[in-house]
Amino acid sequence: MKIAEWREKVLEVGCYEAISEMLKRIEKSKLNAYITVCKEEALKKAEEFDKGKLKGKLAGIPVAVKDNISTKGILTTCASKMLSNYKPVFDAHVVERLKEEGAIIIGKTNMDEFGMGTTTETSYYGVVRNPYDLNRVAGGSSGGSGAALVNDECVLSLGTDTGGSIRCPASFCGVYGLKPTYGLVSRYGLIPYANSLEQIGPMATCVEDLALLLEVISGKDERDSTNAGRCFSFSRVENKYKIGVIKEMSCNEDVMEKYEETLSELRKFYDIEYVSLQSMKFALAAYYVIAMSEASSNLARYDGVRYGYTIEKLESWRKFSSKVRAEGFGEEVKRRIMLGSYALSAGYYGKYYLKALKARTLIIEDFKRAFEKFDLLIAPTMPTVAFKIGELKDPLTMYLADVNTVPANLAGLPAMSIPIGFVNKLPVGLQAIANYFNENMLLNFAYDLERLNIAKVC
Amino acid sequence: MVEIKDVYHVAELANIEISDKEAEKFRVEFEKILEYFDVLDEVPDVRPTYHVVTLYNVFREDKPGRCLTQEEVLLNTQHKEEGFFRGPKVVE
């Protein structure tokens, strides 16, 4: 549901009634999109809106927030047993912004444990189901944020994207999702997985709504030392973009059919050429080495003392914390922490971590060269449609699904997934990547595609 | 080649207790994943990128702001005593 449609409904029945209906929908839903539903708080806010007390750009709009984003006094679990009892004592910067603009936080969405996955199957709270086929996944890691949008279980949602975690569920669920330029949105209050790669970003069912949510969450925040101090505002520009189709980013036959159909549509309106980015062959390995290394350091904080899962008996430090971590973390999280520890350990640092950082330089330079010639780069967001639940049996096979999305994170570039239709009744996404802080161009391109009926939701 | 003792070694570095069954499963998986990472051997010698943002010396006024209270800080733990965290024994 779009903001405009929601506003119409609220005019008709009032915000309290509209939110009540949405809460009932969530309760009956089979998607498992939420870990926590903020029933009482949401109804209280709706009442305030009806009394004219709630003001701002998002006044009265129900927004779903991914469960790795801190919400004061509201359970924030990262879909992990480790944080299944954790209630932050402060709000993330983006949550403060939502509240300042009058948004109603409807709930906390399900995800892969600590964002580590492409299917939400690693969630301690069970998999999120795809709204178009309940036997398939909604994508990950922000699967709940994607699925909830399709089933009208929220109007807007926030996801986070470390290696594609906004774009993948956007693609699998057929909605819009944008990973901003690194530094545009403050990460204060985002529970970290891989700091140098991740960004919080908006997800929505139309471009205008996506742009508005990005406007609200972007901006200066001194509490995140990598924050660029920039504010985003959407302005409509009509332009004939020069578009590069990334040769190295491919997909399976089903998706290719839809993708090529879209390319030939695009050729009618834009100047399109193929472009080769040779460093892409290093991207996936470099991404996983860096993400796992950063994870191994970030997740060292979970020691059972200050917060999170713990055990009663305080034995020696080593025994106590290694037991807490064995019981509190799921298998994929352990796998990544251990591989990260390995990549950073004596004798292997030069072979893995340092090489990955060098690959990162090559990837950035490749993109720089491409943007000298092109305004936008495009590719299929995901190499496949949504997987069947249980289809990916082996971790490496799951990692390979991220091959088209991780390069934008390594380079820190803004990238979005635009829904371009269906293959066998399952959504397919087009990925567009722009130069640093060129979100306005990305959104204008998506806006054009929406008007041209190349991009469509449902 | 990943040996079982390597898996126990990283588990110790990572501070995660693992069972023998888990160790063998991880060993097989790690071997496959690390083999995939070998593609990085071909990366030429360029300068490494640690961070994509080019921010230098971001200053702000050194003004005291609001801190979390002792009570708030202790809200999420069950191991506390007289306003402090109670931790496990560090020295044997």
Side-chain angles (χ1 to χ4, degrees):
Chain A
M1 188 186 279
K2 295 174 189 167
I3 291 179
E5 292 163 341
W6 174 259
R7 293 230 190 271
E8 245 171 65
K9 189 176 172 75
V10 167
L11 271 181
E12 228 173 82
V13 300
C15 194
Y16 189 89
E17 183 52 35
I19 290 283
S20 304
E21 271 178 40
M22 186 169 272
L23 290 167
K24 274 182 210 143
R25 245 185 122 69
I26 296 171
E27 212 171 293
K28 276 196 238 147
S29 171
K30 293 193 171 95
L31 300 180
N32 197 24
Y34 287 93
I35 291 174
T36 304
V37 181
C38 308
K39 200 172 169 184
E40 278 161 38
E41 298 92 330
L43 286 170
K44 210 178 113 206
K45 286 283 168 195
E47 222 172 355
E48 277 178 37
F49 179 86
D50 287 336
K51 286 179 184 157
K53 283 187 199 157
L54 209 54
K55 304 269 183 239
K57 284 182 189 168
L58 297 177
I61 309 293
V63 183
V65 176
K66 189 177 179 182
D67 212 25
N68 58 351
I69 300 172
S70 302
T71 41
K72 189 175 177 177
I74 299 169
L75 215 55
T76 299
T77 69
C78 288
S80 179
K81 183 180 178 188
M82 186 58 92
L83 289 177
S84 55
N85 59 359
Y86 175 65
K87 283 186 182 167
V89 290
F90 58 91
D91 277 326
H93 174 257
V94 294
V95 173
E96 287 176 354
R97 290 291 303 128
L98 289 179
K99 288 181 176 174
E100 281 161 18
E101 295 296 346
I104 297 176
I105 294 170
I106 189 99
K108 303 295 297 289
T109 55
N110 201 351
M111 54 184 278
D112 279 289
E113 186 178 359
F114 285 102
M116 299 179 189
T118 312
T119 61
T120 69
E121 284 167 301
T122 73
S123 168
Y124 178 59
Y125 298 90
V127 65
V128 180
R129 289 170 187 274
N130 193 298
Y132 290 99
D133 179 351
L134 294 177
N135 295 315
R136 290 177 187 265
V137 303
S141 65
S142 314
S145 296
L149 280 171
V150 183
N151 199 38
D152 291 341
E153 295 178 26
C154 65
V155 172
L156 298 171
S157 62
L158 287 183
T160 65
D161 193 312
T162 311
S165 284
I166 286 175
R167 289 161 286 158
C168 165
S171 176
F172 284 2
C173 294
V175 295
Y176 296 88
L178 190 152
K179 180 204 89 74
T181 306
Y182 188 82
L184 183 67
V185 177
S186 167
R187 288 180 295 111
Y188 177 77
L190 163 62
I191 298 176
Y193 154 28
N195 319 50
S196 83
L197 300 161
E198 59 205 1
Q199 273 288 286
I200 300 170
M203 299 177 78
T205 54
C206 70
V207 178
E208 216 178 330
D209 293 359
L210 193 77
L212 179 63
L213 185 54
L214 183 62
E215 271 182 30
V216 168
I217 62 172
S218 70
K220 190 174 173 168
D221 181 25
E222 285 177 345
R223 297 166 299 184
D224 171 3
S225 62
T226 60
N227 180 254
R230 289 179 183 235
C231 277
F232 170 78
S233 74
F234 181 61
S235 58
R236 183 73 184 117
V237 201
E238 276 179 62
N239 210 336
K240 195 170 183 274
Y241 302 110
K242 210 162 179 300
I243 295 172
V245 180
I246 302 175
K247 257 190 201 163
E248 287 77 7
M249 292 188 183
S250 190
C251 54
N252 73 8
E253 270 175 37
D254 290 353
V255 175
M256 187 53 88
E257 203 178 304
K258 187 77 216 166
Y259 180 57
E260 290 202 321
E261 187 188 308
T262 304
L263 288 184
S264 50
E265 282 286 302
L266 290 174
R267 277 195 192 93
K268 295 181 198 159
F269 307 97
Y270 303 99
D271 198 353
I272 291 187
E273 257 179 67
Y274 279 90
V275 57
S276 176
L277 305 176
Q278 293 190 353
S279 62
M280 292 301 124
K281 66 176 173 208
F282 301 129
L284 195 78
Y287 167 78
Y288 272 98
V289 168
I290 293 169
M292 287 167 172
S293 300
E294 292 187 18
S296 76
S297 155
N298 268 321
L299 274 68
R301 73 189 69 200
Y302 301 104
D303 58 3
V305 175
R306 290 157 301 162
Y307 37 68
Y309 179 79
T310 193
I311 47 179
E312 202 66 41
K313 197 166 167 258
L314 290 168
E315 296 167 277
S316 72
W317 176 77
R318 171 68 75 178
K319 243 184 164 172
F320 171 76
S321 58
S322 65
K323 199 185 256 175
V324 163
R325 291 160 67 79
E327 291 174 16
F329 288 138
E331 192 182 285
E332 183 59 30
V333 174
K334 289 179 191 171
R335 192 177 289 121
R336 294 196 192 190
I337 294 175
M338 287 169 70
L339 279 168
S341 305
Y342 185 75
L344 292 174
S345 67
Y348 293 103
Y349 177 88
K351 178 170 166 59
Y352 297 112
Y353 188 64
L354 196 61
K355 283 282 187 186
L357 298 182
K358 288 179 179 176
R360 203 169 181 180
T361 305
L362 296 178
I363 290 160
I364 291 169
E365 283 171 359
D366 252 359
F367 274 121
K368 259 189 197 152
R369 270 191 294 273
F371 283 121
E372 279 168 15
K373 192 167 172 198
F374 299 101
D375 298 316
L376 293 166
L377 301 173
I378 59 171
T381 307
M382 296 300 291
T384 64
V385 291
F387 304 110
K388 283 196 179 122
I389 293 169
E391 185 179 332
L392 302 183
K393 296 216 164 31
D394 156 79
L396 183 61
T397 317
M398 183 176 79
Y399 302 167
L400 293 173
D402 300 340
V403 66
N404 293 351
T405 49
V406 297
N409 300 79
L410 287 166
L413 292 165
M416 78 183 280
S417 183
I418 302 167
I420 51 169
F422 292 77
V423 166
N424 305 328
K425 296 182 183 161
L426 293 168
V428 173
L430 173 79
Q431 178 175 219
I433 306 172
N435 213 339
Y436 296 102
F437 299 105
N438 246 335
E439 278 79 0
N440 202 51
M441 193 189 282
L442 272 184
L443 287 160
N444 270 289
F445 174 62
Y447 193 89
D448 290 339
L449 298 198
E450 204 176 37
R451 294 300 163 282
L452 295 167
N453 210 26
I454 297 172
K456 44 198 166 269
V457 172
C458 289
Chain B
M1 232 345 236
V2 179
E3 288 180 48
I4 201 85
K5 68 169 176 35
D6 301 329
V7 179
Y8 284 113
H9 176 63
V10 286
E12 198 186 327
L13 290 177
N15 211 9
I16 298 172
E17 201 178 87
I18 54 168
S19 67
D20 294 347
K21 206 177 140 200
E22 278 177 301
E24 178 53 24
K25 186 169 187 283
F26 282 137
R27 190 193 67 76
V28 176
E29 289 167 353
F30 288 3
E31 206 163 82
K32 248 174 118 175
I33 295 165
L34 291 171
E35 196 185 303
Y36 181 79
F37 288 171
D38 281 346
V39 66
L40 295 174
D41 290 344
E42 294 167 34
V43 174
D45 193 25
V46 292
R47 127 198 98 71
T49 296
Y50 290 91
H51 234 282
V52 294
V53 280
T54 44
L55 291 171
Y56 296 102
N57 299 337
V58 182
F59 292 115
R60 64 168 170 80
E61 284 297 307
D62 188 18
K63 282 186 300 200
R66 187 191 170 268
C67 295
L68 296 177
T69 63
Q70 203 168 4
E71 212 173 57
E72 284 172 322
V73 168
L74 292 167
L75 224 48
N76 276 290
T77 185
Q78 67 175 75
H79 297 298
K80 56 187 158 189
E81 204 174 301
E82 293 173 29
F84 293 96
F85 290 107
R86 198 183 140 83
K89 205 168 17 168
V90 180
V91 184
E92 289 289 319

